[in-house]
Amino acid sequence: AEPANANAQCDGFQALHQLVIKDPDNKTAIALKGGIRVVVAAMTAHARHADVQQQGCLVLNNLSSNNTHNKTVIAGARGINVVVQAMKTHMVNAFVQEQGSGVLASLSVSA
């Protein structure tokens, strides 16, 4: 995807979401290929773009759900900080708040 293009990032996040939905085993493969770091980097680069934040949180939520390895990778990639920052930046956006809360809840539960 094009790192400078927020819409391209959203398209990439939607593709990752679909990969995880179709086959949960893709969660680990995505993490091992650096996908979590790419999501966090895109969210950082497009911090003011609400759609990127919402889609990024959705992907991180899906990747962390019932996957201890990915939870560790997300935390190590500063994913928690990025999610909290997204929620602070987009306080009035219910979708960002919902997806961000979902990530934090998923990360707080043992797999």
Side-chain angles (χ1 to χ4, degrees):
E2 300 172 27
N5 185 321
N7 291 329
Q9 295 302 314
C10 287
D11 290 346
F13 290 166
Q14 290 173 2
L16 289 173
H17 174 69
Q18 290 302 315
L19 285 170
V20 171
I21 296 299
K22 290 182 180 182
D23 184 356
D25 289 340
N26 285 332
K27 289 180 185 186
T28 302
I30 290 167
L32 292 174
K33 296 291 184 182
I36 290 172
R37 293 190 186 284
V38 169
V39 171
V40 171
M43 290 177 71
T44 300
H46 300 284
R48 299 240 175 252
H49 196 285
D51 289 341
V52 170
Q53 302 308 305
Q54 177 189 348
Q55 293 294 323
C57 285
L58 176 65
V59 171
L60 292 176
N61 189 6
N62 290 338
L63 291 171
S64 66
S65 179
N66 298 315
N67 191 306
T68 302
H69 174 263
N70 286 2
K71 290 178 186 195
T72 302
V73 174
I74 290 168
R78 301 187 47 81
I80 295 169
N81 294 349
V82 169
V83 170
V84 170
Q85 189 58 50
M87 294 175 74
K88 285 180 179 179
T89 301
H90 302 282
M91 281 201 235
V92 297
N93 186 308
F95 298 113
V96 173
Q97 296 301 312
E98 179 183 6
Q99 295 305 325
S101 295
V103 176
L104 297 176
S106 177
L107 292 172
S108 70
V109 176
S110 297

